[in-house]
PDB file of all heavy atoms in Angstrom:
ATOM      1  N   PHE B  84      42.759  -6.669  -0.637  1.00 97.00           N
ATOM      2  CA  PHE B  84      41.539  -7.458  -0.408  1.00 97.00           C
ATOM      3  C   PHE B  84      41.883  -8.932  -0.232  1.00 97.00           C
ATOM      4  O   PHE B  84      42.688  -9.465  -0.994  1.00 97.00           O
ATOM      5  CB  PHE B  84      40.593  -7.275  -1.618  1.00 97.00           C
ATOM      6  CG  PHE B  84      39.169  -7.613  -1.334  1.00 97.00           C
ATOM      7  CD1 PHE B  84      38.259  -6.623  -1.032  1.00 97.00           C
ATOM      8  CD2 PHE B  84      38.740  -8.941  -1.381  1.00 97.00           C
ATOM      9  CE1 PHE B  84      36.942  -6.940  -0.771  1.00 97.00           C
ATOM     10  CE2 PHE B  84      37.412  -9.256  -1.104  1.00 97.00           C
ATOM     11  CZ  PHE B  84      36.516  -8.252  -0.808  1.00 97.00           C
ATOM     12  N   PRO B  85      41.270  -9.597   0.755  1.00 95.00           N
ATOM     13  CA  PRO B  85      41.614 -10.999   1.018  1.00 95.00           C
ATOM     14  C   PRO B  85      41.504 -11.884  -0.225  1.00 95.00           C
ATOM     15  O   PRO B  85      40.475 -11.854  -0.922  1.00 95.00           O
ATOM     16  CB  PRO B  85      40.575 -11.439   2.059  1.00 95.00           C
ATOM     17  CG  PRO B  85      40.077 -10.186   2.685  1.00 95.00           C
ATOM     18  CD  PRO B  85      40.245  -9.095   1.673  1.00 95.00           C
ATOM     19  N   ASN B  86      42.535 -12.654  -0.478  1.00 96.00           N
ATOM     20  CA  ASN B  86      42.588 -13.664  -1.555  1.00 96.00           C
ATOM     21  C   ASN B  86      42.545 -13.123  -2.984  1.00 96.00           C
ATOM     22  O   ASN B  86      42.476 -13.898  -3.951  1.00 96.00           O
ATOM     23  CB  ASN B  86      41.445 -14.696  -1.422  1.00 96.00           C
ATOM     24  CG  ASN B  86      41.411 -15.332  -0.047  1.00 96.00           C
ATOM     25  OD1 ASN B  86      42.464 -15.597   0.522  1.00 96.00           O
ATOM     26  ND2 ASN B  86      40.228 -15.561   0.480  1.00 96.00           N
ATOM     27  N   TYR B  87      42.589 -11.811  -3.129  1.00 97.00           N
ATOM     28  CA  TYR B  87      42.521 -11.271  -4.493  1.00 97.00           C
ATOM     29  C   TYR B  87      43.779 -11.585  -5.300  1.00 97.00           C
ATOM     30  O   TYR B  87      43.703 -11.915  -6.474  1.00 97.00           O
ATOM     31  CB  TYR B  87      42.254  -9.756  -4.436  1.00 97.00           C
ATOM     32  CG  TYR B  87      42.063  -9.077  -5.771  1.00 97.00           C
ATOM     33  CD1 TYR B  87      41.441  -9.727  -6.852  1.00 97.00           C
ATOM     34  CD2 TYR B  87      42.496  -7.770  -5.985  1.00 97.00           C
ATOM     35  CE1 TYR B  87      41.271  -9.094  -8.073  1.00 97.00           C
ATOM     36  CE2 TYR B  87      42.325  -7.111  -7.205  1.00 97.00           C
ATOM     37  CZ  TYR B  87      41.722  -7.787  -8.242  1.00 97.00           C
ATOM     38  OH  TYR B  87      41.555  -7.165  -9.440  1.00 97.00           O
ATOM     39  N   ASP B  88      44.961 -11.522  -4.635  1.00 97.00           N
ATOM     40  CA  ASP B  88      46.196 -11.847  -5.324  1.00 97.00           C
ATOM     41  C   ASP B  88      46.142 -13.264  -5.935  1.00 97.00           C
ATOM     42  O   ASP B  88      46.476 -13.460  -7.107  1.00 97.00           O
ATOM     43  CB  ASP B  88      47.401 -11.768  -4.374  1.00 97.00           C
ATOM     44  CG  ASP B  88      47.636 -10.344  -3.906  1.00 97.00           C
ATOM     45  OD1 ASP B  88      47.952  -9.502  -4.777  1.00 97.00           O
ATOM     46  OD2 ASP B  88      47.495 -10.079  -2.716  1.00 97.00           O
ATOM     47  N   GLU B  89      45.658 -14.207  -5.131  1.00 97.00           N
ATOM     48  CA  GLU B  89      45.559 -15.590  -5.607  1.00 97.00           C
ATOM     49  C   GLU B  89      44.573 -15.689  -6.766  1.00 97.00           C
ATOM     50  O   GLU B  89      44.831 -16.369  -7.757  1.00 97.00           O
ATOM     51  CB  GLU B  89      45.091 -16.533  -4.465  1.00 97.00           C
ATOM     52  CG  GLU B  89      46.090 -16.703  -3.322  1.00 97.00           C
ATOM     53  CD  GLU B  89      46.141 -15.508  -2.358  1.00 97.00           C
ATOM     54  OE1 GLU B  89      45.298 -14.601  -2.477  1.00 97.00           O
ATOM     55  OE2 GLU B  89      47.026 -15.497  -1.486  1.00 97.00           O
ATOM     56  N   LYS B  90      43.450 -14.978  -6.617  1.00 97.00           N
ATOM     57  CA  LYS B  90      42.429 -15.020  -7.689  1.00 97.00           C
ATOM     58  C   LYS B  90      42.998 -14.502  -9.008  1.00 97.00           C
ATOM     59  O   LYS B  90      42.730 -15.044 -10.075  1.00 97.00           O
ATOM     60  CB  LYS B  90      41.216 -14.171  -7.288  1.00 97.00           C
ATOM     61  CG  LYS B  90      40.301 -14.903  -6.312  1.00 97.00           C
ATOM     62  CD  LYS B  90      38.835 -14.596  -6.580  1.00 97.00           C
ATOM     63  CE  LYS B  90      37.939 -15.561  -5.816  1.00 97.00           C
ATOM     64  NZ  LYS B  90      37.378 -15.006  -4.597  1.00 97.00           N
ATOM     65  N   LEU B  91      43.756 -13.407  -8.902  1.00 97.00           N
ATOM     66  CA  LEU B  91      44.360 -12.840 -10.113  1.00 97.00           C
ATOM     67  C   LEU B  91      45.344 -13.825 -10.763  1.00 97.00           C
ATOM     68  O   LEU B  91      45.339 -14.011 -11.972  1.00 97.00           O
ATOM     69  CB  LEU B  91      45.096 -11.519  -9.790  1.00 97.00           C
ATOM     70  CG  LEU B  91      44.227 -10.298  -9.558  1.00 97.00           C
ATOM     71  CD1 LEU B  91      45.085  -9.149  -9.048  1.00 97.00           C
ATOM     72  CD2 LEU B  91      43.521  -9.873 -10.854  1.00 97.00           C
ATOM     73  N   LYS B  92      46.130 -14.465  -9.921  1.00 97.00           N
ATOM     74  CA  LYS B  92      47.107 -15.449 -10.419  1.00 97.00           C
ATOM     75  C   LYS B  92      46.407 -16.598 -11.145  1.00 97.00           C
ATOM     76  O   LYS B  92      46.772 -16.977 -12.245  1.00 97.00           O
ATOM     77  CB  LYS B  92      47.935 -16.009  -9.258  1.00 97.00           C
ATOM     78  CG  LYS B  92      49.323 -15.395  -9.156  1.00 97.00           C
ATOM     79  CD  LYS B  92      50.144 -16.043  -8.045  1.00 97.00           C
ATOM     80  CE  LYS B  92      50.937 -14.985  -7.296  1.00 97.00           C
ATOM     81  NZ  LYS B  92      51.232 -15.347  -5.930  1.00 97.00           N
ATOM     82  N   THR B  93      45.388 -17.137 -10.467  1.00 97.00           N
ATOM     83  CA  THR B  93      44.639 -18.251 -11.056  1.00 97.00           C
ATOM     84  C   THR B  93      43.999 -17.825 -12.387  1.00 97.00           C
ATOM     85  O   THR B  93      44.070 -18.557 -13.380  1.00 97.00           O
ATOM     86  CB  THR B  93      43.512 -18.710 -10.087  1.00 97.00           C
ATOM     87  OG1 THR B  93      44.108 -18.898  -8.814  1.00 97.00           O
ATOM     88  CG2 THR B  93      42.891 -20.007 -10.547  1.00 97.00           C
ATOM     89  N   ALA B  94      43.388 -16.633 -12.380  1.00 97.00           N
ATOM     90  CA  ALA B  94      42.713 -16.163 -13.593  1.00 97.00           C
ATOM     91  C   ALA B  94      43.702 -16.001 -14.736  1.00 97.00           C
ATOM     92  O   ALA B  94      43.435 -16.360 -15.887  1.00 97.00           O
ATOM     93  CB  ALA B  94      41.999 -14.851 -13.323  1.00 97.00           C
ATOM     94  N   THR B  95      44.889 -15.469 -14.419  1.00 96.00           N
ATOM     95  CA  THR B  95      45.907 -15.252 -15.444  1.00 96.00           C
ATOM     96  C   THR B  95      46.328 -16.603 -16.034  1.00 96.00           C
ATOM     97  O   THR B  95      46.482 -16.748 -17.259  1.00 96.00           O
ATOM     98  CB  THR B  95      47.145 -14.571 -14.816  1.00 96.00           C
ATOM     99  OG1 THR B  95      46.698 -13.435 -14.100  1.00 96.00           O
ATOM    100  CG2 THR B  95      48.137 -14.139 -15.866  1.00 96.00           C
ATOM    101  N   LYS B  96      46.439 -17.584 -15.161  1.00 95.00           N
ATOM    102  CA  LYS B  96      46.868 -18.922 -15.608  1.00 95.00           C
ATOM    103  C   LYS B  96      45.784 -19.620 -16.420  1.00 95.00           C
ATOM    104  O   LYS B  96      46.035 -20.064 -17.558  1.00 95.00           O
ATOM    105  CB  LYS B  96      47.230 -19.762 -14.379  1.00 95.00           C
ATOM    106  CG  LYS B  96      48.264 -20.811 -14.654  1.00 95.00           C
ATOM    107  CD  LYS B  96      48.708 -21.451 -13.337  1.00 95.00           C
ATOM    108  CE  LYS B  96      49.241 -22.856 -13.613  1.00 95.00           C
ATOM    109  NZ  LYS B  96      49.370 -23.618 -12.394  1.00 95.00           N
ATOM    110  N   THR B  97      44.585 -19.697 -15.874  1.00 92.00           N
ATOM    111  CA  THR B  97      43.544 -20.490 -16.542  1.00 92.00           C
ATOM    112  C   THR B  97      43.051 -19.834 -17.830  1.00 92.00           C
ATOM    113  O   THR B  97      42.640 -20.515 -18.751  1.00 92.00           O
ATOM    114  CB  THR B  97      42.333 -20.734 -15.627  1.00 92.00           C
ATOM    115  OG1 THR B  97      41.848 -19.462 -15.168  1.00 92.00           O
ATOM    116  CG2 THR B  97      42.693 -21.594 -14.436  1.00 92.00           C
ATOM    117  N   SER B  98      43.099 -18.510 -17.884  1.00 92.00           N
ATOM    118  CA  SER B  98      42.577 -17.848 -19.101  1.00 92.00           C
ATOM    119  C   SER B  98      43.706 -17.528 -20.078  1.00 92.00           C
ATOM    120  O   SER B  98      43.426 -17.073 -21.188  1.00 92.00           O
ATOM    121  CB  SER B  98      41.870 -16.549 -18.716  1.00 92.00           C
ATOM    122  OG  SER B  98      42.813 -15.595 -18.273  1.00 92.00           O
TER     123      SER B  98
END
Side-chain angles (χ1 to χ4, degrees):
Chain B
F84 200 98
N86 306 323
Y87 184 34
D88 293 297
E89 293 77 7
K90 281 217 168 101
L91 283 171
K92 258 183 220 154
T93 311
T95 309
K96 208 172 155 194
T97 55
S98 70

